[in-house]
Amino acid sequence: MIQMTITMFSQALQRHTEVLVAFPPEPGKREKNRSYDQRPVKTLLLLHGYNGSGREFMLTGNVQNLAAKYNVAIVCPNGENSFYLNQKGTGRSYGDFFGKELPAFLRQYLGLCAAREDTMIGGFSMGGFGALHVGLSHPEQFGGIIAVSSALVIYNVAQMKPGDRDLADYDYYKQTFGEPKNVLQSTNNPEVLLINLQKNGGPIPPIYMACGTEDMLLEYNRRFAQFLTEHALQFHFDQQPGGHDRDFGIPHLDAGLRYQFSLQESALC
């Protein structure tokens, strides 16, 4: 298995940041399957959860297995605790980094993300929210979204008052999402992004969602899935037994890749 660690300077973040990439195996070490026979390598930007880093996916070994199984280069950047949103202040344009700067870098230096249909974005927990938001903010970049156990906490943030605390305190959420009382009407809400895309007639990436039935975020995910249903958008939502953990997340990243590839012309193994 080929793995690369890149340190790049980001204009959006105004600092160096680390990006890890797991590549499919070289030709002589590939198992025979139709992922290699019928299409070129694809790219998945994979976003980590709160208090995590891009390294956590690499350490499990499962990312390398998915890269080999589906002929996908899996890119694991560091998003800190940003929810992958543009925020006020110099060096806090996280949305621009993940939606524009990083794909352009991968295209220029590694030959990845060459076309929208070859590029997906996915994530777990905070990274699931990030995949939805970044993917819908930049639908010209991404041909599919995989959102597992998504931290769609905007519904709760909208109710917060000074002094309240959830996973983090009120001040963190205000800095991250903007004024809480306005968040559901803002473009930090993926629902608003989807409404705008429908109005403008732009491309909307198909969405794969999954959430465990014992996950504390289940009702938020059901609410978002209901919104997708009401607006006749292309998506699939898996609700299966499981909690908010890697044991649920990794198999459903696999299922998300299967779903996205099933929508494309090339059949997979």
Side-chain angles (χ1 to χ4, degrees), residues 107-145:
R107 189 177 304 119
Q108 179 178 356
Y109 291 101
L110 298 181
L112 302 175
C113 304
R116 176 181 183 268
E117 59 269 21
D118 294 331
T119 310
M120 296 167 288
I121 188 166
F124 174 79
S125 191
M126 182 187 78
F129 175 90
L132 289 166
H133 194 275
V134 175
L136 297 172
S137 296
H138 301 279
E140 75 286 351
Q141 297 275 18
F142 302 103
I145 296 170

Side-chain angles (χ1 to χ4, degrees), residues 242-258:
H244 195 77
D245 53 41
R246 192 172 294 151
D247 289 341
F248 182 88
I250 294 298
H252 287 86
L253 287 173
D254 189 317
L257 286 167
R258 290 200 308 273

Side-chain angles (χ1 to χ4, degrees), residues 173-195:
Y173 288 112
K174 183 175 181 179
Q175 175 181 313
T176 303
F177 290 91
E179 185 62 47
K181 65 181 180 181
N182 299 327
V183 69
L184 293 182
Q185 292 75 46
S186 77
T187 54
N188 284 340
N189 180 358
E191 292 182 5
V192 173
L193 297 177
L194 280 164
I195 290 170

Side-chain angles (χ1 to χ4, degrees), residues 45-265:
L45 268 63
L46 185 56
L47 310 181
H48 64 77
Y50 187 83
N51 283 342
S53 75
R55 286 187 174 273
E56 68 186 50
F57 289 115
M58 295 295 181
L59 292 175
T60 67
N62 292 294
V63 164
Q64 291 88 342
N65 293 338
L66 292 176
K69 181 177 181 180
Y70 292 109
N71 190 22
V72 176
I74 301 181
V75 179
C76 300
N78 284 328
E80 302 167 25
N81 288 336
S82 66
F83 271 84
Y84 306 93
L85 296 169
N86 284 339
Q87 301 168 19
K88 290 184 177 180
T90 301
R92 302 190 66 79
S93 296
Y94 295 97
D96 288 346
F97 174 70
F98 294 100
K100 295 190 292 188
E101 189 176 10
L102 181 56
F105 176 90
L106 295 170
R107 189 177 304 119
Q108 179 178 356
Y109 291 101
L110 298 181
L112 302 175
C113 304
R116 176 181 183 268
E117 59 269 21
D118 294 331
T119 310
M120 296 167 288
I121 188 166
F124 174 79
S125 191
M126 182 187 78
F129 175 90
L132 289 166
H133 194 275
V134 175
L136 297 172
S137 296
H138 301 279
E140 75 286 351
Q141 297 275 18
F142 302 103
I145 296 170
I146 301 171
V148 179
S149 305
S150 299
L152 287 156
V153 297
I154 48 169
Y155 304 121
N156 186 53
V157 171
Q159 309 301 319
M160 294 186 78
K161 302 290 188 297
D164 287 351
R165 184 179 184 88
D166 188 3
L167 180 66
D169 59 22
Y170 172 89
D171 292 329
Y172 163 80
Y173 288 112
K174 183 175 181 179
Q175 175 181 313
T176 303
F177 290 91
E179 185 62 47
K181 65 181 180 181
N182 299 327
V183 69
L184 293 182
Q185 292 75 46
S186 77
T187 54
N188 284 340
N189 180 358
E191 292 182 5
V192 173
L193 297 177
L194 280 164
I195 290 170
N196 291 340
L197 286 173
Q198 284 192 313
K199 286 180 180 178
N200 296 330
I204 301 177
I207 297 170
Y208 171 87
M209 295 175 59
C211 194
T213 53
E214 288 71 54
D215 194 322
M216 67 281 194
L217 298 172
L218 178 61
E219 291 308 314
Y220 296 157
N221 281 261
R222 284 176 171 169
R223 177 170 172 175
F224 187 68
Q226 182 61 34
F227 171 88
L228 297 176
T229 299
E230 291 170 356
H231 288 77
L233 292 160
Q234 186 177 26
F235 81 104
H236 178 81
F237 182 27
D238 273 341
Q239 300 178 72
Q240 296 180 1
H244 195 77
D245 53 41
R246 192 172 294 151
D247 289 341
F248 182 88
I250 294 298
H252 287 86
L253 287 173
D254 189 317
L257 286 167
R258 290 200 308 273
Y259 171 75
Q260 294 295 342
F261 288 131
S262 74
L263 301 178
Q264 300 180 10
E265 293 183 356

